[in-house]
Amino acid sequence: MASISTRRRRLGVIGGTAAAALLLAGCATSDGGGSDLDGIIVGTTDVLTSLDPAGSWDNGSFAVQINVFPMLMNTAYGSPEVEPDIAESAEFTAPNQYTVTLKEGLTFANGNDLTSSDVKFSFDRIINIADENGPSPLLGNIESIEAPDDVTVVFTLKVENDQTFSQVLASPAGSIVDEQVFSADELTPSEEIVDGNAFAGPYVITDYSENELIQYEAFEDYQGLYGTPETPSITGQYFTEETSLKLAVQEGDVDVAYRSLSPTDLADLREQDEVTVYDGPGSEIRYMVFNFATQPFGTATPEADPAKALAVRQAVASVVDREAIANEVYNSTFVPLYSYVPDGMLGANESLKGIYGDGNGGPDLEKAAQVLEAAGIPTPVPFNLQYNPDHYGNSSDEEYALIQSQLNDSGLFEVELQSTLWDVYNVEYREGLYPVFQLGWFPDYPDPDNYLSPFFLPTPDADGNLIYSGFFANGYNDPAAIELIRQQAVTVDEAERVALVEQAQDQVASQLSTLPLLQGASVAVAGTGITGVEETLDTSAKFRYASLGRE
Amino acid sequence: MTVEESLTGPDTIKKPRGGGGSGLGRYILVRFLLIIPTVFILVTLVFFLMRVVGDPITASVGGRLTEAQLNERLEAAGYLRPLWVQYFEYIGQVFTGNFGRTVTDNRLISEVILTYGAATLELAFYALIVAFIVGIPLGMLAAYLRDRWPDAVLRIFAILCYATPVFFAGLLLKLTFSVWLGWLPLGGRAGTREQLALGRIDNPTGIYLIDAIRLGNPAVIGDVLAHAVLPGLTLGLLTAGVFLRLVRTNLIGTLGMGYVDAARSRGVRELRLVRRHAYKPALIPIITVMGLQIALLLGGAILTESTFEWRGLGFQLSQYLGARDFVAVQGIVAVLAVIVAVTNFIVDVIAALIDPRVRY
């Protein structure tokens, strides 16, 4: 039995430990004691590849760049249309010349003047550096750039009347940077950009820890489209786990969570009183691609038969139940997609809805069976379906398991489902190894052309040979569709262009190069009292901090 | 053994003949020289294992490059040369302290180590504190209560500590104390406001606790410590289990020795025997084992840091693994190998200084 003094000592140790723990917990819950930060904290799981616009072409990097670098043209809140940002005006002054006039007296936050020379420098360096992660392909139509005076920039274009060019200026290729800070022929390290205070957007970066924490302060001399920011101070915090981000916004550790939360977490957050889930129109799409060479009855298979191959594609289109995928897998954070250009964009139509399935978007197994029977195809049709589990979110597993189950349950198909990690997948799908496979798309700019040209126009390879079709290299070659898509890109009259976009979609829908499945909603979660979230959630996919404020 | 030999003791028998310096000097020299082959073998293994899966550039960025671009990058990085040429060049670089640049973000490996090493060091410090506070007293208690039911419970606890996968223990602690009870932060090294405050002090060390103390803000210190509790516990318990078993076994052995029996026969009570006579000798082997535990801690740190988003070297290593950046992985592992080898050397020397028997 322990003596009294021993017991006292034990109690002392236990008491001391408990007191230390309480003190710790007390300190830990003290709010705001760490600094004078009184702004808004925005959490994300996106990853920033490079702060330099020449070295990145991804959501995570653009989300930062859009808030600190100005653009000639930009998208106003709530609209996919572009308007002048730091430009005073922008227009075609000749079929192959696009002239931009800058506002007077523009400066960078470091005091350097922002002139047409900086604009020319910004675009030239992206083209010259041509970093593999950079957006130089978006500038493929630029022949040359001139800066005849301090406020005038003239872009000479290879293809005349390019109706997408103003959108390109508002894309990840359009950030204007300071030629006195950025290198002309190589990527500039983030530290040099921050130290050089080379910003002229709504915000400047004052503290920077890559993919951990970024502190933004409003730039008083910003003269662009978004005006004076509602909140002078914004902090961007990076999370590696969706669940951590979800708990952070739920606990109030971050004020706004934007990209990405899992459908399950979002469903849970919708039940919480402390936060509001904002759903905006999204521009992300998900679809299946058919490789015309290796799909069942494809041109490179022993039983090659284009008519039968088309019948297989049509039957799949009639079996897939998009509504079930959107609801069961994505808790309605995605909606069914029946066209190539998603809802909210110029010329969007539901070209597939009327011709496949029950005519209202639902599946029709009988119709699918008839198509296969008419083509003389014995069922079940075996085919390999490939998806990727690490690039389009954790729900891809469930999404493709459900698609497999829908196809198999129809009795018309016998699907072999396989998954491959992105770094291999990204190479192998282009090599035609996957007969039918999953892909998704975030637009570079909210224009219908960005959903058509990259997918359905042939692109030349290194030797100048044409590869059909676009970056899928899936062998789809439809001269009628190609002509319509090329025409719409250079048609000045908007009504005429919309008609061409609709015709192009109808034409592709009849051949089913790809099968559109889902359109993503743009979702953000904010704590009580945060305003301005709805304003910035639009089809531009640009999350602009300038609209965020507190009640 | 003759009577004379037994009187002079084993030290006399094993003393080096014909000069060669003191036993301690030789011991330190041999131990120091052993670092070189240890690091050499580890670096060689890592180099060839990394190449089993192909070249690092194709693995990490190949999908985003055309064939011409890829070949250009491979040529520039020297991956088109014979493997043995690459190997000897790499070995030469390693022994001059140049571990190369990462493929994914083109950073110097040494810069990565310096940036994130402090966080891992801080976590290892917390883990060692937990290991000492939990492992040693409980080991002593188990020895004191040997063969009774609390001893059995403590032994099971020790086995659970080092047999439970780190990520699983971490998730359990997170679920319990962060998600369900809401007492402690879920992850990270400090809150957003506190991190910003720490970044604003002049020349931060990167060890948040030191930076927070220098900042002199109790709330920041509390926040930093609160963030350290769960990762420190997770990693610390892993080592605590080893310490508990070791202390118990050594203490039981020591308690059975003659001088302890003599003290017992004088009427000294068992608890006093443990505290006054037995625990110090029993702790000496722990110092030796600590060197090995550093390697265990570094291995555990990779999983702990990933589980708690503790942005240290282990977290960064897991990110580079995910990105298939084998150059970064190879460089960081090589540096970790050097750290483990040097730490083992230091611990061996300390153990030899404390206990002369170790030298032989």
Side-chain angles (χ1 to χ4, degrees):
Chain A
M1 189 180 171
S3 67
I4 292 172
S5 63
T6 307
R7 267 185 284 170
R8 276 185 185 153
R9 271 198 293 274
R10 278 184 200 162
L11 279 171
V13 170
I14 294 166
T17 310
L22 281 173
L23 178 71
L24 233 165
C27 290
T29 52
S30 66
D31 189 27
S35 77
D36 54 357
L37 178 71
D38 55 0
I40 290 173
I41 302 173
V42 180
T44 185
T45 56
D46 276 348
V47 174
L48 186 147
T49 308
S50 170
L51 186 54
D52 186 334
S56 62
W57 187 3
D58 57 86
N59 285 312
S61 304
F62 193 45
V64 178
Q65 290 158 8
I66 189 67
N67 287 294
V68 295
F69 296 121
M71 292 186 165
L72 298 178
M73 307 293 283
N74 219 328
T75 35
Y77 297 122
S79 166
E81 300 292 324
V82 292
E83 295 176 27
D85 188 355
I86 59 167
E88 185 71 49
S89 63
E91 59 189 345
F92 275 97
T93 46
N96 69 335
Q97 279 196 338
Y98 194 79
T99 302
V100 179
T101 307
L102 297 177
K103 288 173 182 166
E104 297 279 353
L106 294 170
T107 60
F108 288 98
N110 55 22
N112 295 339
D113 289 338
L114 194 169
T115 67
S116 57
S117 176
D118 292 293
V119 174
K120 174 176 163 52
F121 172 84
S122 301
F123 288 98
D124 280 345
R125 73 184 291 271
I126 290 179
I127 295 167
N128 292 338
I129 293 171
D131 187 84
E132 69 258 18
N133 293 321
S136 59
L138 290 172
L139 304 179
N141 196 23
I142 295 178
E143 179 77 48
S144 63
I145 307 168
E146 301 297 326
D149 60 53
D150 276 357
V151 292
T152 307
V153 188
V154 181
F155 294 90
T156 303
L157 305 180
K158 294 171 189 167
V159 175
E160 295 178 355
N161 291 317
D162 178 359
Q163 295 307 296
T164 67
F165 192 69
S166 59
Q167 292 278 8
V168 169
L169 297 180
S171 76
S175 295
I176 307 303
V177 300
D178 184 352
E179 63 181 326
Q180 294 184 51
V181 173
F182 281 77
S183 164
D185 47 20
E186 61 183 15
L187 296 183
T188 302
S190 302
E191 292 72 21
E192 283 181 30
I193 301 170
V194 175
D195 291 346
N197 203 11
F199 308 110
Y203 286 94
V204 301
I205 294 175
T206 54
D207 267 319
Y208 183 83
S209 177
E210 195 155 289
N211 285 317
E212 287 184 43
L213 216 57
I214 299 179
Q215 175 70 9
Y216 304 85
E217 300 292 340
F219 174 41
E220 288 178 359
D221 294 331
Y222 170 64
Q223 294 186 44
L225 181 63
Y226 302 122
T228 305
E230 293 290 324
T231 302
S233 175
I234 296 280
T235 304
Q237 188 172 6
Y238 290 81
F239 293 81
T240 52
E241 301 289 336
E242 290 172 350
T243 311
S244 300
L245 176 60
K246 181 243 178 182
L247 284 163
V249 71
Q250 188 179 317
E251 298 294 322
D253 293 333
V254 304
D255 299 302
V256 182
Y258 179 66
R259 285 185 48 86
S260 294
L261 291 163
S262 71
T264 317
D265 286 342
L266 280 170
D268 188 35
L269 286 168
R270 287 180 202 279
E271 306 293 317
Q272 312 283 330
D273 293 333
E274 303 82 15
V275 296
T276 306
V277 179
Y278 295 92
D279 298 286
S283 51
E284 176 188 8
I285 61 168
R286 301 282 172 86
Y287 52 95
M288 273 161 57
V289 182
F290 296 93
N291 186 299
F292 279 45
T294 55
Q295 72 150 103
F297 307 103
T299 53
T301 61
E303 65 280 12
D305 185 331
K308 286 182 176 176
L310 175 62
V312 168
R313 297 196 294 274
Q314 290 173 331
V316 172
S318 286
V319 170
V320 168
D321 184 351
R322 297 171 177 81
E323 198 77 49
I325 303 168
N327 295 338
E328 291 171 26
V329 178
Y330 289 102
N331 284 323
S332 303
T333 52
F334 277 78
V335 294
L337 177 65
Y338 300 100
S339 58
Y340 295 93
V341 174
D343 188 31
M345 300 283 168
L346 200 72
N349 64 358
E350 296 195 318
S351 49
L352 285 87
K353 202 170 188 174
I355 49 179
Y356 303 115
D358 64 3
N360 288 311
D364 188 334
L365 306 188
E366 206 170 304
K367 194 171 182 177
Q370 283 170 1
V371 168
L372 293 174
E373 193 181 343
I377 300 170
T379 55
V381 180
F383 74 82
N384 295 317
L385 179 59
Q386 200 88 14
Y387 76 98
N388 163 263
D390 65 335
H391 193 69
Y392 298 111
N394 299 333
S395 300
S396 289
D397 292 310
E398 286 176 67
E399 179 184 341
Y400 274 78
L402 184 55
I403 290 173
Q404 179 193 30
S405 150
Q406 288 174 356
L407 292 170
N408 283 348
D409 291 351
S410 71
L412 303 174
F413 297 95
E414 197 172 70
V415 177
E416 181 76 29
L417 185 64
Q418 290 181 334
S419 69
T420 311
L421 294 177
W422 182 251
D423 52 348
V424 176
Y425 189 90
N426 194 26
V427 177
E428 290 189 342
Y429 84 74
R430 289 171 218 250
E431 292 173 349
L433 296 183
Y434 309 147
V436 189
F437 56 97
Q438 170 202 28
L439 277 181
W441 179 250
F442 264 104
D444 305 302
Y445 42 84
D447 186 272
D449 181 72
N450 204 235
Y451 293 89
L452 299 173
S453 292
F455 299 160
F456 309 121
L457 293 188
T459 50
D461 66 8
D463 301 322
N465 303 315
L466 285 182
I467 297 175
Y468 299 91
S469 129
F471 67 73
F472 309 140
N474 69 337
Y476 170 57
N477 177 12
D478 185 345
I482 290 169
E483 182 54 29
L484 286 164
I485 292 168
R486 283 188 174 146
Q487 267 187 40
Q488 62 79 30
V490 294
T491 300
V492 178
D493 182 83
E494 188 170 295
E496 201 180 321
R497 185 173 179 227
V498 166
L500 287 167
V501 168
E502 289 174 350
Q503 286 173 42
Q505 290 178 89
D506 292 344
Q507 180 61 31
V508 180
S510 69
Q511 296 300 308
L512 281 167
S513 166
T514 70
L515 182 62
L517 293 173
L518 302 165
Q519 177 176 0
S522 185
V523 184
V525 183
T528 312
I530 300 294
T531 59
V533 179
E534 277 171 304
E535 281 82 344
T536 190
L537 288 181
D538 56 34
T539 48
S540 73
K542 293 173 181 171
F543 198 75
R544 291 143 291 193
Y545 297 156
S547 73
L548 300 178
R550 283 190 191 277
E551 280 176 347
Chain B
M1 185 187 291
T2 64
V3 174
E4 191 183 6
E5 281 172 340
S6 71
L7 287 175
T8 51
D11 282 6
T12 312
I13 298 167
K14 292 185 180 176
K15 262 182 187 169
R17 293 161 199 263
S22 70
L24 180 62
R26 268 175 59 116
Y27 176 82
I28 291 174
L29 183 66
V30 170
R31 284 278 180 261
F32 180 74
L33 290 175
L34 276 174
I35 293 177
I36 297 167
T38 307
V39 172
F40 182 78
I41 290 167
L42 276 168
V43 167
T44 303
L45 270 176
V46 172
F47 178 88
F48 285 107
L49 283 175
M50 288 289 110
R51 271 143 186 86
V52 167
V53 287
D55 73 84
I57 291 177
T58 306
S60 55
V61 295
R64 301 199 297 274
L65 303 178
T66 63
E67 201 169 332
Q69 286 174 318
L70 182 62
N71 279 332
E72 197 179 310
R73 289 279 296 271
L74 289 171
E75 178 72 44
Y79 287 111
L80 296 181
R81 293 175 302 165
L83 196 59
W84 64 270
V85 174
Q86 295 178 45
Y87 170 68
F88 282 112
E89 188 182 272
Y90 181 68
I91 291 293
Q93 284 178 343
V94 167
F95 280 91
T96 54
N98 174 9
F99 294 93
R101 283 182 178 274
T102 62
V103 173
T104 43
D105 50 9
N106 198 35
R107 297 170 75 180
L108 280 169
I109 302 288
S110 52
E111 181 197 312
V112 173
I113 305 278
L114 285 174
T115 306
Y116 297 101
T120 300
L121 199 66
E122 186 173 8
L123 178 59
F125 169 72
Y126 295 133
L128 276 177
I129 288 180
V130 171
F132 277 120
I133 290 177
V134 175
I136 292 175
L138 291 184
M140 288 167 66
L141 189 66
Y144 172 60
L145 301 170
R146 59 188 174 279
D147 300 331
R148 288 151 68 179
W149 69 264
D151 176 35
V153 171
L154 287 170
R155 285 158 71 185
I156 291 169
F157 171 72
I159 291 167
L160 281 177
C161 278
Y162 65 75
T164 306
V166 175
F167 66 89
F168 183 68
L171 283 175
L172 276 184
L173 287 172
K174 269 171 84 163
L175 267 177
T176 310
F177 294 102
S178 301
V179 179
W180 292 336
L181 298 172
W183 290 354
L184 291 164
L186 196 68
R189 294 177 65 199
T192 311
R193 291 172 176 82
E194 289 75 13
Q195 278 186 67
L196 286 170
L198 290 172
R200 284 173 185 168
I201 63 169
D202 291 333
N203 302 316
T205 63
I207 295 178
Y208 277 13
L209 186 57
I210 294 176
D211 291 337
I213 291 167
R214 285 176 64 207
L215 192 67
N217 185 328
V220 178
I221 297 171
D223 180 75
V224 166
L225 285 172
H227 279 82
V229 171
L230 293 185
L233 260 181
T234 304
L235 190 54
L237 286 176
L238 175 78
T239 314
V242 180
F243 280 9
L244 195 161
R245 297 275 300 183
L246 207 62
V247 168
R248 178 188 175 277
T249 308
N250 286 325
L251 206 52
I252 288 172
T254 313
L255 284 170
M257 294 185 83
Y259 75 93
V260 178
D261 281 340
R264 194 177 281 125
S265 67
R266 289 199 304 272
V268 178
R269 290 203 326 219
E270 196 69 11
L271 188 60
R272 192 175 173 82
L273 277 177
V274 171
R275 282 171 43 211
R276 289 288 170 88
H277 298 277
Y279 93 94
K280 277 183 185 167
L283 284 184
I284 290 172
I286 288 191
I287 293 168
T288 312
V289 172
M290 260 183 63
L292 298 172
Q293 291 308 304
I294 298 294
L296 190 67
L297 277 176
L298 288 172
I302 295 170
L303 296 169
T304 309
E305 288 180 7
S306 301
T307 306
F308 289 97
E309 295 198 40
W310 185 277
R311 291 172 189 265
L313 213 48
F315 178 86
Q316 206 56 29
L317 185 61
S318 67
Q319 298 293 303
Y320 285 130
L321 273 168
R324 278 47 158 199
D325 190 338
F326 297 140
V327 177
V329 173
Q330 176 181 281
I332 293 172
V333 170
V335 172
L336 292 180
V338 174
I339 292 171
V340 170
V342 171
T343 311
N344 267 313
F345 165 71
I346 293 169
V347 168
D348 282 350
V349 171
I350 292 171
L353 288 171
I354 294 172
D355 183 5
R357 290 173 302 175
V358 171
R359 298 175 213 168
Y360 307 99

